[in-house]
Amino acid sequence: MIDPQTKERLRGKLEELKGQLAKELKDFKSPTDMGGSEIDALDAEADEAEEFSANAGMAISVAQRHEAVVAALGKMDKGTYGTCESCKGEIEAALLEADPESRLCKACKAKKS
Ligand SMILES: [Zn+2]
């Protein structure tokens, strides 16, 4: 079992991560104005298309991570935090320290990848 102190510390980490990811998501949705002239913008059009798809991929992974963080916080409230979603075993504390939103234990993660 994760001791309550560690759990509270991880909750803090998750809350912080959630705020950070939410902010990143917002940035993806409203790209910052580059401030360049229109001619520059035309020249950059081809590059931007590539950049856009790269950004879209990143936005998806940020969204997925955000979802995992929210799910982990929900599990903390339900008291099921730290339980592997695959084998229902305990997720190693060291793994949660490194990856607090982890849904799988070390063994199941290794099997998946
Ligand atoms: Zn497992």
Side-chain angles (χ1 to χ4, degrees):
M1 276 295 283
I2 319 160
D3 62 277
Q5 234 180 326
T6 305
K7 196 177 147 186
E8 279 315 302
R9 198 159 43 78
L10 290 175
R11 187 198 288 271
K13 263 192 181 181
L14 283 165
E15 292 283 6
E16 201 181 307
L17 208 55
K18 188 175 137 189
Q20 207 179 303
L21 291 167
K23 197 180 152 284
E24 275 180 47
L25 274 177
K26 232 179 106 193
D27 288 345
F28 279 124
K29 278 175 192 157
S30 55
T32 43
D33 188 6
M34 296 302 185
S37 72
E38 267 181 55
I39 294 161
D40 282 346
L42 281 174
D43 280 342
E45 214 169 90
D47 287 342
E48 261 173 27
E50 264 176 48
E51 216 169 274
F52 179 77
S53 59
N55 266 352
M58 265 170 75
I60 289 165
S61 67
V62 170
Q64 281 172 342
R65 190 145 189 235
H66 182 259
E67 198 185 299
V69 168
V70 171
L73 283 166
K75 281 197 268 180
M76 275 191 171
D77 291 336
K78 274 190 274 174
T80 57
Y81 181 73
T83 304
C84 174
E85 285 183 7
S86 179
C87 70
K88 309 290 171 208
E90 214 176 282
I91 301 175
E92 294 80 1
L95 183 63
L96 291 171
E97 291 278 357
D99 193 10
E101 78 272 31
S102 185
R103 292 173 172 185
L104 298 172
C105 70
K106 214 172 171 179
C108 292
K109 254 192 175 175
K111 260 187 263 170
K112 264 200 143 187
S113 56

